[in-house]
Amino acid sequence: MFSHDGLKDVLTHLAAPPLFYEELRREVSRMERNGERFAILRLILEVEFHSDVHVLNFSEILVRASRGEELIARLGEYEFAILVRGNHLAAANLLDRIIGKAENQDPRPRFQNSCISSQAGESALELLNRLDSVALAPAISEPLLT
């Protein structure tokens, strides 16, 4: 469920998929113009039973761990993505911050992650297809990079 303008997720107030895809397209254009790399961190929340509270708590962790220039989006019921300016190391640092914030929660949320870095000449759709093909890893390990 999205806000009336389609930019925000109604439950979490994070970016909705349309905004995420538009910002991803812009980031690809920016990279092509000036070579600035970026990464996409994908997070899948694992829940034993459906509860909006789990989603809200996890989205709050993501917001507290991220920086202003990072765009956090809720792409599915339990799927989140973050556009991270910089390379895979910037995404790994963000993941460490997320894990640190999650460890302070009771109960500790369980989630899996994957990560990709942008590549020259790759379209937004190609990036997303590559992200979907990367295996997910438990959040306690380094993000999987391709």
Side-chain angles (χ1 to χ4, degrees), residues 45-88:
L45 181 62
E46 298 175 9
V47 296
E48 294 180 15
F49 59 91
H50 175 74
S51 170
D52 288 345
V53 173
H54 295 302
V55 173
L56 286 169
N57 289 341
F58 190 63
S59 66
E60 180 62 28
I61 289 169
L62 299 180
V63 169
R64 287 194 332 256
S66 66
R67 296 189 172 129
E69 68 270 9
E70 297 162 341
L71 177 70
I72 308 167
R74 183 176 177 211
L75 300 182
E77 190 170 13
Y78 302 112
E79 180 178 2
F80 300 83
I82 306 175
L83 274 177
V84 182
R85 291 217 175 137
N87 59 18
H88 66 278

Side-chain angles (χ1 to χ4, degrees), residues 10 14 20 31-32 35-36 40 45 54 60 71 75 79 102 111 117 120 138:
V10 172
L14 300 175
F20 178 80
M31 183 186 70
E32 292 300 319
E36 284 185 26
I40 305 173
L45 181 62
H54 295 302
E60 180 62 28
L71 177 70
L75 300 182
E79 180 178 2
F111 59 98
S117 291

